[in-house]
Amino acid sequence: MSGLFGATSTTDEVLAGVDLKGKRVLVTGVSAGLGVETARVLAAHGAQVVGTARDLAKARAATEVVRAGAANGGSLDIVELDLASLASVRACADALIGDGRPFDVVIANAGVMAAPFGRTADGFETQFGTNHLGHFVLVNRIAPLIKSGGRVVIVASSAHRMAPFSLDDLNFESKTYEPWAAYAQSKTANILFAVELDRRLKERGIRATALHPGGIQTELDRHLDPNMIEGMITQINAALAAEGKPSFQWKTIPQGAATSVWAGFVAPVDAVGGKYCENCHISEVTDAEISPISEGVRTYALDPETARALWAKSEDMVGERF
């Protein structure tokens, strides 16, 4: 399983020979980057894709390539969803439930990264509210639509390793806001959500997994200073050179989206359920000191007790029980 594909595998390579005709897939965030590529390759292999976007006009323009390449019965529909507004999340979920057609796979792809301090429409810190709570409500509300044998794939990040996770002050009401710490918190929450969701849905034959897509240059970088990024890469490459290793290389967008489609359609479902994946395989659990570009998932991100506690905390925050 782990030997077939790796860090440089593309979406087309991962899905080579895979027929998705008749499969229905929800992909959040199809207005740019990984979401567009994920939708493109799925529709090209026959899947009926429902993509979500906050800006419908932008998404329609960005996904022309998806419609142009759709084959074997593949298609794309776009629905409105603003993950930073629970009213929008609930309206989107209600519309999907009202439509009634089931999903084989849900890919929670959308997100924001290292954003300046802000609040969502409901008063949550922007990154935690958008990346975790928005998806938490959406996925739970549409869970009845997911077929037995289906999967939920949550795009997280190796950035979960940048800061320890705590359930205290998730909205940064008393502690000092730091964009990367807030991003790390939201990405750890993504992984923990997958862990508990997997436990809850397993009896229905549905599995959930989280993943790191890799280092990719997309619109997710919009809040970052290019000089800061360049400085980080210089430091990483100096450390790699000292170890006699090759320099860091950005992944292409098709390489970045490969792990999402691998986890959703190619990997053995029981192998990835409740796990964290990267580079098209399951990641090793480690609490050792590792470089920013090394593989590895922290123990705290997969801890079942923390996952259950986060679920309860999330329910309290959104005022809804699942």
Side-chain angles (χ1 to χ4, degrees):
M1 178 182 65
S2 61
L4 292 176
F5 307 107
T8 60
S9 298
T10 65
T11 50
D12 286 319
E13 290 168 349
V14 168
L15 285 185
V18 177
D19 183 1
L20 299 179
K21 185 176 179 62
K23 300 286 187 183
R24 194 160 182 263
V25 188
L26 179 69
V27 182
T28 66
V30 298
S31 59
L34 298 181
V36 172
E37 173 59 17
T38 301
R40 180 203 68 78
V41 75
L42 296 179
H45 284 258
Q48 298 164 25
V49 181
V50 177
T52 77
R54 183 170 49 87
D55 184 336
L56 294 180
K58 179 183 177 184
R60 288 190 187 104
T63 54
E64 285 181 8
V65 64
V66 180
R67 285 179 287 275
N72 194 29
S75 62
L76 173 70
D77 291 321
I78 301 175
V79 297
E80 187 173 1
L81 170 67
D82 181 357
L83 287 165
S85 163
L86 291 184
S88 174
V89 172
R90 288 168 178 142
C92 178
D94 288 349
L96 293 172
I97 291 287
D99 175 80
R101 285 177 290 172
F103 289 105
D104 295 275
V105 175
V106 173
I107 301 178
N109 164 82
V112 293
M113 181 174 76
F117 181 75
R119 299 278 186 205
T120 67
D122 304 278
F124 308 124
E125 184 276 314
T126 298
Q127 297 189 81
F128 187 78
T130 303
N131 296 347
H132 171 59
L133 291 176
H135 279 126
F136 177 78
V137 172
L138 177 70
V139 172
N140 275 308
R141 282 197 161 216
I142 66 169
L145 291 178
I146 304 172
K147 290 181 183 178
S148 178
R151 309 187 193 193
V152 179
V153 176
I154 300 175
V155 179
S157 173
S158 64
H160 77 274
R161 306 185 318 223
M162 296 177 71
F165 185 76
S166 170
L167 289 170
D168 296 330
D169 199 16
L170 293 169
N171 282 322
F172 287 85
E173 290 166 338
S174 57
K175 63 189 176 189
T176 302
Y177 182 78
E178 201 287 307
W180 281 112
Y183 181 64
Q185 172 178 271
S186 73
K187 294 289 104 176
T188 301
N190 284 157
I191 303 168
L192 291 166
F193 175 38
V195 169
E196 178 63 5
L197 187 68
D198 183 73
R199 187 187 73 81
R200 287 169 175 251
L201 296 184
K202 200 184 312 186
E203 64 183 24
R204 283 184 52 205
I206 300 165
R207 305 305 300 267
T209 189
L211 64 91
H212 170 50
I216 314 128
Q217 292 180 296
T218 69
E219 283 193 9
L220 204 60
D221 297 345
R222 70 175 71 90
H223 298 298
L224 304 184
D225 177 356
N227 292 326
M228 185 271 289
I229 296 175
E230 191 175 326
M232 283 173 55
I233 299 303
T234 299
Q235 284 185 320
I236 288 168
N237 283 338
L240 289 170
E243 296 175 23
K245 295 178 180 178
S247 297
F248 168 77
Q249 298 290 325
W250 293 105
K251 280 191 178 188
T252 65
I253 288 175
Q255 289 170 340
T259 303
S260 292
V261 297
W262 175 83
F265 301 93
V266 178
V269 67
D270 289 333
V272 296
K275 300 292 196 301
Y276 171 88
C277 308
E278 55 191 323
N279 295 329
C280 298
H281 59 254
I282 297 165
S283 186
E284 294 292 326
V285 180
T286 178
D287 290 321
E289 187 173 333
I290 51 178
S291 78
I293 61 167
S294 297
E295 293 187 1
V297 59
R298 294 307 195 202
T299 302
Y300 59 74
L302 295 173
D303 180 67
E305 289 188 16
T306 307
R308 283 193 287 272
L310 174 64
W311 187 287
K313 180 77 169 179
S314 300
E315 287 181 327
D316 287 343
M317 293 176 81
V318 302
E320 205 165 343
R321 294 281 177 270
F322 299 110

